[in-house]
Amino acid sequence: MTGVDLVQENGPERLDFKQKLYKQLDELLPPDVIIASSSSGLKMSDIQSAVASHPERCVIGHPFNPPQLIPLVEVVGGAKTSEATIQRAITFYKSIGKKAVRLNKEMPGHVANRLQGALAREVYYLIAEDVLSAADVDDALSWGPGLRWGIMGNMMLNHLGGGPGGTEHFFQQFAGPMTISWKSLGSPVLTPELQTKLVDGVHAEVGSRTIEELEAERDEILLGLLELRAKRSERSLPTRSRPIIEPGEDFNSSQDCDDVFGAPPSL
């Protein structure tokens, strides 16, 4: 590979594979080329441990499916990643319209997949306990809190939930009840029987619709939401400029990825 500034690695989610691949890439690429991984769960410190010459240019740049639509990219370095690499990676992702979020600390599964995993655990528990069907739990999410989450995150919604008193009043009023409610959350075991129950529930919800039809429905609504958010941002921010990459810092990248830490690619 010649004439590149960034290589986006999208190999299988296996540490041994990625370590071998990174070792090869380190030997093939000039030292100033960033090697970014789409890994959804592995730590960069473990991956770059196999890199002998320039581990400082290795970084996690984890996009989300469908990557051509979802703006989020999680950027996190390993123990040997340089600050310059992290900043160059963030600049690149922003330059192609992505929402780059920097993680200050390595965590298995990074952040967004951990959040999805926590939610999925409770969803499976509620279905396992016959509280409601797969279709109804999906409706409860997508027509309830999911609509708000498409606009603002948890912390900003807490601020609004506190009314005129904001976040301070929110925690004064809800810290106790929330803490108590956490104790009732479930920890289901994905036995073969429960998996069959979950699968049957999904097929009942899907009906005759194909994967292609469901993807088209998802993408159409996603595009509408992204367009609405973009218009809102333009109105809210009178001086909004696109991040600029300094001369000599053109990049090439692939946006494909596999999310396997609690987040199937279809999510």
Side-chain angles (χ1 to χ4, degrees):
M1 290 176 283
T2 59
V4 299
D5 296 283
L6 184 146
V7 172
Q8 186 81 21
E9 171 271 314
N10 305 292
E13 194 75 354
R14 298 201 323 265
L15 180 59
D16 60 337
F17 179 93
K18 289 187 184 291
Q19 287 177 331
K20 181 179 179 181
L21 178 58
Y22 265 67
K23 183 177 183 298
Q24 294 172 337
L25 290 172
D26 185 52
E27 294 169 352
L28 289 171
L29 295 168
D32 61 337
V33 176
I34 293 175
I35 310 174
S37 177
S38 293
S39 174
S40 60
L42 299 174
K43 293 182 180 181
M44 178 46 64
S45 291
D46 296 330
I47 297 173
Q48 70 186 171
S49 64
V51 176
S53 299
H54 297 285
E56 74 282 352
R57 41 91 166 265
C58 303
V59 66
I60 295 288
H62 175 228
F64 278 73
N65 283 305
Q68 72 275 17
L69 297 181
I70 299 294
L72 179 64
V73 178
E74 295 176 308
V75 179
V76 54
K80 299 179 180 179
T81 305
S82 70
E83 179 65 20
T85 294
I86 293 174
Q87 292 302 324
R88 286 181 63 207
I90 290 173
T91 299
F92 161 66
Y93 292 122
K94 287 183 176 180
S95 77
I96 59 172
K98 294 295 185 179
K99 185 71 172 180
V101 173
R102 177 178 181 174
L103 279 61
N104 297 318
K105 181 179 180 180
E106 289 183 292
M107 297 286 288
H110 317 315
V111 169
N113 276 342
R114 293 177 68 91
L115 296 173
Q116 291 185 133
L119 180 59
R121 183 177 68 178
E122 186 64 14
V123 166
Y124 300 155
Y125 172 73
L126 293 172
I127 296 174
E129 294 296 308
D130 293 319
V131 176
L132 72 179
S133 67
D136 284 343
V137 76
D138 278 353
D139 281 346
L141 283 174
S142 62
W143 291 98
L147 287 175
R148 296 193 305 229
W149 292 333
I151 304 166
M152 295 179 181
N154 183 80
M155 301 310 297
M156 283 293 287
L157 290 170
N158 285 174
H159 188 55
L160 294 180
T167 311
E168 295 87 348
H169 184 256
F170 175 87
F171 285 113
Q172 290 169 7
Q173 185 173 2
F174 297 115
M178 276 197 307
T179 303
I180 292 172
S181 72
W182 291 343
K183 297 177 182 179
S184 69
L185 296 176
S187 296
V189 178
L190 287 176
T191 62
E193 293 76 18
L194 177 53
Q195 291 182 50
T196 298
K197 185 176 186 178
L198 295 171
V199 169
D200 290 345
V202 170
H203 283 299
E205 181 180 3
V206 169
S208 61
R209 292 175 294 176
T210 66
I211 293 292
E212 291 75 15
E213 290 171 336
L214 290 169
E215 287 178 337
E217 178 183 342
R218 175 201 64 191
D219 293 354
E220 180 183 2
I221 297 173
L222 265 176
L223 286 169
L225 177 58
L226 289 170
E227 182 179 1
L228 182 62
R229 291 196 63 164
K231 289 180 179 177
R232 178 63 183 175
S233 295
E234 290 172 1
R235 290 199 301 268
S236 300
L237 302 174
T239 56
R240 184 179 180 90
S241 60
R242 181 179 179 185
I244 298 174
I245 298 178
E246 294 300 325
E249 291 189 356
D250 292 329
F251 290 86
N252 293 288
S253 108
S254 167
Q255 292 177 298
D256 295 331
C257 71
D258 290 324
D259 285 351
V260 298
F261 191 93
S266 61
L267 289 181

